[in-house]
């Protein structure tokens, strides 16, 4: 198992990608601390993982709240004695579908502010514990819009670029203490509600059916398809494992070749 005896904290765990990551990490032997704002969905996820032989505990945590995040990590340390992986997968409340010239500043800036706020809070909080223990991995997820500009994506692409820059700086500052910081860049998983919603907005803007927009977008990738949630999750498990011990300050391309590094 890639993550045997590892302790992982996942924020936004009950979302589509968070759920896929939780299952992948559990299958690879990690003990999970699932955090989110809705207990009902967290409970259902933890029940499924535990019934399948995994280990998952839940907590209601607002990952935009510094005190809530730090109090939760104290609890994790009390129960598990260490934090090996931190993965923030919360949504940023981005609004897509309009050109920048048609947007108000609040709609443009909200995802950027939310992304920076939550990643700073969760990443630095985890890094303090990891630095003390001499090891740990902080993961983030961005999208191809962080590297390549797309029209009508609002502040989302800028938020992704900011996350990647933040990860590089955090890696530079904590690497001496054995902490790795790795970002995964996706082209968007079509089997998740959030991506389907974004696809619909872009399809509507272009005046084409959703199926046509998705097919055309997949056609420009080298693999002629988009990455599924499980593929993102499995890549995250590998990145968090000791097999990737030399990787930090990196953005792993999981776009199915939609962009090339």
């Amino acid at each position: 198992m890639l993550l045997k005896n590892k302790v992982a904290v996942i924020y936004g765990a009950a979302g589509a990608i968070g759920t896929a990551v939780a299952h992948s990490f559990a299958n690879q032997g990690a003990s999970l601390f699932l955090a989110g704002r809705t207990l009902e969905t967290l409970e259902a996820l933890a029940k499924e993982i535990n019934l399948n032989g995994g280990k998952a505990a839940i907590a209601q945590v607002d990952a935009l709240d510094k005190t809530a995040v730090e109090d939760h990590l104290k609890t994790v340390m009390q129960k598990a004695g260490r934090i090996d992986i931190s993965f923030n997968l919360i949504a940023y409340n981005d609004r897509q579908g309009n050109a920048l010239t048609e947007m108000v500043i609040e709609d443009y800036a909200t995802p950027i502010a939310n992304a920076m706020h939550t990643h700073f809070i969760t990443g630095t909080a985890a890094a303090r514990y990891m630095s003390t223990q001499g090891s740990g991995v902080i993961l983030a997820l961005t999208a191809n819009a962080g590297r390549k500009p797309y029209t009508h994506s609002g502040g989302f692409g800028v938020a992704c670029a900011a996350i990647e820059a933040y990860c590089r700086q955090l890696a530079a500052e904590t690497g001496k203490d054995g902490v790795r910081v790795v970002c995964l860049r996706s082209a968007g998983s079509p089997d998740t509600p959030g991506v389907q919603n974004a696809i619909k907005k872009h399809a509507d803007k272009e005046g084409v059916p959703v199926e046509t927009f998705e097919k055309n977008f997949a056609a420009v990738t080298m693999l002629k398809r988009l990455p599924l949630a499980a593929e993102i999750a499995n890549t995250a498990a590998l990145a968090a494992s000791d097999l990737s011990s030399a990787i930090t300050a990196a953005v792993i391309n999981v776009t199915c070749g939609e962009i090339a590094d």
Side-chain angles (χ1 to χ4, degrees):
M1 293 184 181
L2 291 177
L3 303 178
K4 185 177 181 180
N5 299 323
K6 301 288 188 183
V7 175
V9 178
I10 304 173
Y11 300 95
I17 296 294
T19 295
V21 168
H23 281 293
S24 180
F25 281 16
N27 290 339
Q28 293 299 332
S31 295
L32 307 181
F33 286 84
L34 309 176
R37 292 189 294 185
T38 307
L39 281 176
E40 291 79 8
T41 52
L42 289 171
E43 288 170 349
L45 175 59
K47 181 179 180 180
E48 185 177 2
I49 289 172
N50 290 328
L51 285 175
N52 288 328
K55 297 178 181 178
I58 66 170
Q60 190 172 39
V61 180
D62 182 352
L64 289 162
D65 185 325
K66 181 176 183 290
T67 299
V69 167
E70 293 181 346
D71 286 348
H72 176 242
L73 291 187
K74 288 178 184 177
T75 300
V76 174
M77 287 296 295
Q78 291 169 356
K79 293 182 177 179
R82 60 186 300 108
I83 299 168
D84 298 300
I85 305 164
S86 175
F87 201 172
N88 189 331
L89 291 163
I90 77 164
Y92 307 128
N93 194 28
D94 58 288
R95 296 191 178 185
Q96 301 187 39
N98 292 320
L100 294 178
T101 53
E102 300 169 353
M103 298 183 71
V104 296
I105 182 64
E106 291 78 13
D107 289 347
Y108 166 75
T110 291
I112 304 168
N114 285 345
M116 289 295 90
H117 196 92
T118 188
H119 279 283
F120 180 84
I121 288 172
T122 60
T124 57
R128 284 188 283 272
Y129 286 108
M130 292 174 179
S131 294
T132 298
Q133 69 193 27
S135 65
V137 182
I138 297 168
L139 299 174
L141 178 67
T142 59
N144 45 4
R147 165 77 182 275
K148 177 181 176 181
Y150 296 85
T151 60
H152 307 125
S153 61
F156 178 67
V158 180
C160 289
I163 293 168
E164 293 177 7
Y166 162 78
C167 287
R168 287 190 290 269
Q169 182 170 340
L170 186 60
E173 294 180 355
T174 60
K176 68 184 187 309
D177 300 316
V179 180
R180 298 192 294 114
V181 187
V182 181
C183 187
L184 282 66
R185 186 193 289 142
S186 171
S189 299
D191 55 340
T192 63
V195 171
Q196 279 297 319
N197 184 51
I199 287 175
K200 184 179 187 308
K201 289 181 179 179
H202 287 280
D204 290 344
K205 196 69 178 181
E206 294 189 12
V208 299
V210 169
E211 295 77 11
T212 300
F213 182 89
E214 183 176 331
K215 182 179 179 180
N216 291 342
F217 190 62
V220 304
T221 72
M222 297 177 192
L223 296 180
K224 308 304 178 186
R225 65 181 182 85
L226 297 175
L228 299 178
E231 293 177 302
I232 302 299
N234 290 337
T235 303
L238 178 61
S241 77
D242 293 340
L243 291 180
S244 300
S245 57
I247 299 176
T248 194
V251 177
I252 298 177
N253 185 341
V254 282
T255 67
C256 286
E258 198 275 324
I259 56 176
D261 293 320

